Amino acid sequence: MGNHVHLTGIKEMTAEKIESILHRADHWARKPGEQSGALRGRFVANLFFEPSTRTRFSFEVAEKRLGAHVLNFAAEASSTTKGETIYDTLHTLEAMGVEAAVIRTRHDGLVQHLSDQVGMCLINAGDGTNEHPTQCLLDLLTMKQRFDRIDGLRVAIIGDIRHSRVAGSHLHALPRLGAELLLAGPPSMMPSQDLLPAGVRQVELEQAVEEADVVMMLRVQLERHTHSLFTNADTYHQAYGLTLERAARMKPEAVIMHPAPVNRGVEIHSDLVESEKSLITAQVSNGVAVRMAVLEYVLNGGEKSWESCLQTANF
């Protein structure tokens, strides 16, 4: 509907567009104490229909650093409890002059579906088990900062691949940018091989840990399982987690990443979360920078406007 720009997923983005957003995000990552008036006076709504801490606050910080007015939506206190649909909520906000909505939903593909029906910009903050594009972009920025490249990296994503929307975005982004992608984890948590892009390999856990430049552990998405897939946390940790013993076999220059929240002692040993190899805190910091770049991309036309909004001021 109209000519509005959206970020609904990574699947349809070109490598050039991804690189363009990462370049702008790196600009903001280098200026952590500064804000811009790029969205001054404009209204953005955060519509989170699932629990979230870091993603919602990360978007809110990004919106305020760009000078936007921020509306936060509490599903339990909204008209959705009276039967109002998300479409009707967006249509109402649009009529009030809100120009963009950040949406988290449990429904696969809903943000893409709505993007053709409303006259405002939509940003996918995670939809079901489909995609989480801004988490993917901040992971890419973190890799690029550490290795100064993505092309040629070997990235292992380990854990609950089948239920992870983060993995859903990386399946498209990493091969497109020239990285080799390895998947490992419990067979019951692996996607069907015929759904994987060309070149993506499923390997044994030990091979993934020992050969990767980036070891990305995923949280077990218990809330998305219909039945128990393992008997207890320690059983999973010993069989499929990043234990201290496995971490000791990583390549010397390899790093650990995790999209968080972390289940300490389940997919990763607690001592590794803040270890020298861990980039988990850097990922959280980069989330704000990436979301600032994405908000500029959808609301101001991206790189066409970036040169004109470099005027910044301290908090």
Side-chain angles (χ1 to χ4, degrees), residues 265-278:
V266 183
E267 66 268 8
I268 184 170
H269 192 284
S270 184
D271 291 352
L272 298 172
V273 175
E274 286 101 15
S275 69
E276 291 184 355
K277 283 184 170 293
S278 173

Side-chain angles (χ1 to χ4, degrees), residues 202-219:
Q202 296 188 30
V203 301
E204 295 298 323
L205 174 60
E206 307 303 334
Q207 179 183 353
V209 170
E210 294 170 11
E211 295 184 359
D213 301 299
V214 177
V215 175
M216 183 184 296
M217 305 304 297
L218 296 181
R219 184 173 68 89

Side-chain angles (χ1 to χ4, degrees), residues 107-174:
H107 300 291
D108 291 359
L110 179 61
V111 182
Q112 175 68 53
H113 175 70
L114 290 170
S115 67
D116 296 328
Q117 302 182 44
V118 297
M120 60 196 304
C121 304
L122 301 185
I123 298 173
N124 183 356
D127 63 327
T129 59
N130 181 38
E131 284 216 46
H132 194 348
T134 57
Q135 177 67 46
C136 174
L137 289 166
L138 73 87
D139 292 343
L140 297 173
L141 177 62
T142 307
M143 292 178 206
K144 197 162 187 175
Q145 288 172 339
R146 172 53 68 99
F147 295 99
D148 199 31
R149 64 189 172 92
I150 295 173
D151 185 26
L153 288 180
R154 180 173 289 162
V155 180
I157 300 182
I158 299 170
D160 190 358
I161 311 290
R162 184 157 62 90
H163 297 91
S164 171
R165 48 197 173 203
V166 178
S169 290
H170 277 304
L171 285 174
H172 304 288
L174 285 165

Side-chain angles (χ1 to χ4, degrees), residues 224-239:
R224 296 172 195 160
H225 294 178
T226 56
H227 58 278
S228 178
L229 298 179
F230 57 94
T231 55
N232 60 64
D234 188 61
T235 299
Y236 182 89
H237 183 64
Q238 295 304 322

